[in-house]
Amino acid sequence: MSKNLNSNKSVVEQLLNYKIRANTKVNKNILEGIHEVKNYIKDGEGKSRLFIFKNCVNLIREIKSYAWGDDKPLKTNDHSMDELRYYIMSLKLRLQRNYISILIMVNFVST
């Protein structure tokens, strides 16, 4: 687990201190996460599945200032963006588990 710059504890450990559960098995690949966030902003049919409210000022500021260098995003002022990516990837993980559960149930019922 990576450590937070302001603490010797990982982000997950800090969240657990506040009784907030965090899934450590989420895919943390930045480029795959950015791709998933883009798909939530606009899917293949042009529909939005992600809505950002105007009072999310830090996220909006970070989206506007998000910058790339050498085929990867620059890691500055991106905490809200990281949280959004992590959240979207945790949704994807949950959906995959539900899909697998449905497949197992269908196979069980059909046999």
Side-chain angles (χ1 to χ4, degrees):
M1 277 184 228
S2 61
K3 304 294 179 188
N4 185 316
L5 293 176
N6 299 324
S7 173
N8 288 330
K9 295 183 178 182
S10 72
V11 173
V12 172
E13 290 169 331
Q14 291 178 52
L15 290 172
L16 291 173
N17 283 342
Y18 291 99
K19 308 291 188 242
I20 299 171
R21 291 181 5 187
N23 188 341
T24 58
K25 295 180 181 176
V26 169
N27 179 351
K28 295 173 188 75
N29 181 286
I30 293 173
L31 297 179
E32 288 179 35
I34 290 170
H35 178 74
E36 285 301 315
V37 171
K38 284 182 177 181
N39 285 336
Y40 269 78
I41 292 171
K42 287 259 195 245
D43 66 11
E45 298 173 5
K47 296 179 184 175
S48 294
R49 297 186 292 162
L50 174 67
F51 300 93
I52 301 169
F53 295 95
K54 64 182 176 184
N55 61 340
C56 299
V57 293
N58 290 330
L59 179 58
I60 293 168
R61 179 183 41 79
E62 288 181 17
I63 289 171
K64 289 179 178 179
S65 67
Y66 208 61
W68 288 74
D70 297 327
D71 296 328
K72 62 182 177 181
L74 300 177
K75 296 297 293 167
T76 57
N77 300 320
D78 63 348
H79 299 302
S80 296
M81 295 290 288
D82 283 345
E83 295 302 324
L84 175 61
R85 181 174 46 82
Y86 193 87
Y87 175 71
I88 295 290
M89 293 305 278
S90 70
L91 288 177
K92 182 179 179 184
L93 184 63
R94 253 184 269 147
L95 290 172
Q96 287 171 342
R97 283 185 184 153
N98 289 342
Y99 179 72
I100 291 168
S101 297
I102 290 169
L103 286 178
I104 290 169
M105 289 180 69
V106 167
N107 287 333
F108 178 74
V109 171
S110 64
T111 55

